[in-house]
Amino acid sequence: MSRLFSFWKLVHNENLKIYLRLGTWVMIGILAGLSLLIPLLSYTVDRSAAITLQDMVFSLLPMLNVCITIVTIVVAAGIVSSEFAWGTIKLLLIRPWTRGKILLSKYIALVLFALFMSVLVFALVFGISALLFPNMPGPGLWSDFLMTSVYKFIDLLVIATFTFMLSAVFRSNGLSIGMAMFVFMFGDMVPMLLHPAKYGWAKYLLFHNMHLYNYMHGSTPYPGMSFGFSSAVLAVYFAAFLAISWIVFARRDIA
């Protein structure tokens, strides 16, 4: 029990490093402001428009999910590399924690941050939209929305884990952010350039298997692929990203 408590103190310490930065609260403030401002502007501009709660939430959250991903990338890119850039990694390693526990605590803190941002934005968008547009949709629509939100969080987790790997591999925050942003912004172009119908091996690429919500209601975005197949491929990539992070971090010289 004492070891578990000591580990969660380490996770708490990593959380403090994230939330004590002014830049983190600036990004949170911008996201929170957008979550409240856009529904309010929509209501103010045309109160006679037949806008429903469902319309507002379903149309606004995809855009805000992109913003959440960008914020998470910025945090993930520096969560390991900044320790080497600032020289604070030496202070961590002289304490009675293994490198594996230090890396795991950083990853848990990153996942908790991504979850916090997702829940915060959803709560703000739903709260203000429910006040301004109180047309409640049926339970079936909310069930679809909940499942879509879960799948979108999986996408966020994959991108965050990929950026976390880059942060462990490279010492530069800027390089980690730049590479992760490039992959995130242009990743959706890969399926158009390398379609599985033409290139059979392409179905094993990361971006052909993301967006699991495309499989909802029995649909199949690409021939020869299924929800189980894409989930398994994502799990392999997820494990590979974490394994590379651990191998590089465990062997890196801090001198």
Side-chain angles (χ1 to χ4, degrees):
M1 184 64 68
S2 60
R3 290 184 178 180
L4 181 61
F5 179 74
S6 176
F7 176 73
W8 280 108
K9 285 180 63 178
L10 183 59
V11 175
H12 175 69
N13 182 56
E14 295 301 328
N15 277 305
L16 289 178
K17 292 179 182 179
I18 295 175
Y19 292 104
L20 288 179
R21 296 174 184 170
L22 177 60
T24 300
W25 287 104
V26 170
M27 292 185 291
I28 292 175
I30 292 173
L31 264 178
L34 289 174
S35 303
L36 297 173
L37 185 61
I38 296 178
L40 185 60
L41 287 176
S42 300
Y43 178 77
T44 303
V45 169
D46 191 357
R47 299 188 182 185
S48 63
I51 302 176
T52 65
L53 172 62
Q54 172 191 340
D55 295 333
M56 182 54 59
V57 173
F58 276 68
S59 62
L60 185 56
L61 281 180
M63 179 194 72
L64 291 176
N65 277 328
V66 174
C67 297
I68 292 171
T69 303
I70 293 174
V71 170
T72 304
I73 285 175
V74 172
V75 172
I79 199 166
V80 179
S81 60
S82 61
E83 299 282 4
F84 290 93
W86 298 337
T88 52
I89 187 64
K90 296 179 181 179
L91 299 177
L92 280 176
L93 294 182
I94 62 175
R95 297 180 181 183
W97 297 312
T98 64
R99 292 197 180 196
K101 288 183 178 180
I102 292 173
L103 192 67
L104 179 60
S105 69
K106 288 181 175 294
Y107 184 73
I108 291 175
L110 175 63
V111 172
L112 291 176
F113 175 78
L115 182 61
F116 166 71
M117 293 299 298
S118 299
V119 172
L120 174 66
V121 168
F122 172 78
L124 291 176
V125 169
F126 179 80
I128 189 66
S129 298
L131 290 175
L132 299 176
F133 314 102
N135 310 82
M136 295 297 291
L141 287 172
W142 282 123
S143 176
D144 285 352
F145 176 74
L146 179 61
M147 291 305 301
T148 302
S149 298
V150 171
Y151 293 145
K152 284 185 177 293
F153 183 75
I154 292 175
D155 288 347
L156 174 63
L157 193 60
V158 171
I159 294 296
T161 306
F162 174 73
T163 312
F164 182 81
M165 178 194 69
L166 295 178
S167 182
V169 171
F170 301 108
R171 295 176 181 265
S172 170
N173 292 8
L175 183 59
S176 301
I177 293 174
M179 292 184 64
M181 289 295 293
F182 177 82
V183 170
F184 172 62
M185 292 298 182
F186 296 98
D188 287 340
M189 296 178 60
V190 175
M192 293 186 292
L193 298 174
L194 301 172
H195 199 280
K198 186 175 181 181
Y199 305 97
W201 52 267
K203 65 181 181 180
Y204 297 102
L205 297 178
L206 175 64
F207 291 98
H208 290 79
N209 295 281
M210 294 182 67
H211 311 315
L212 292 176
Y213 52 82
N214 289 330
Y215 290 103
M216 292 176 63
H217 308 299
S219 60
T220 303
Y222 303 109
M225 297 174 63
S226 64
F227 178 84
F229 175 84
S230 292
S231 299
V233 171
L234 286 179
V236 171
Y237 275 101
F238 179 82
F241 294 155
L242 289 180
I244 294 172
S245 302
W246 182 81
I247 291 172
V248 173
F249 186 76
R251 297 181 178 180
R252 171 164 287 180
D253 185 11
I254 65 170

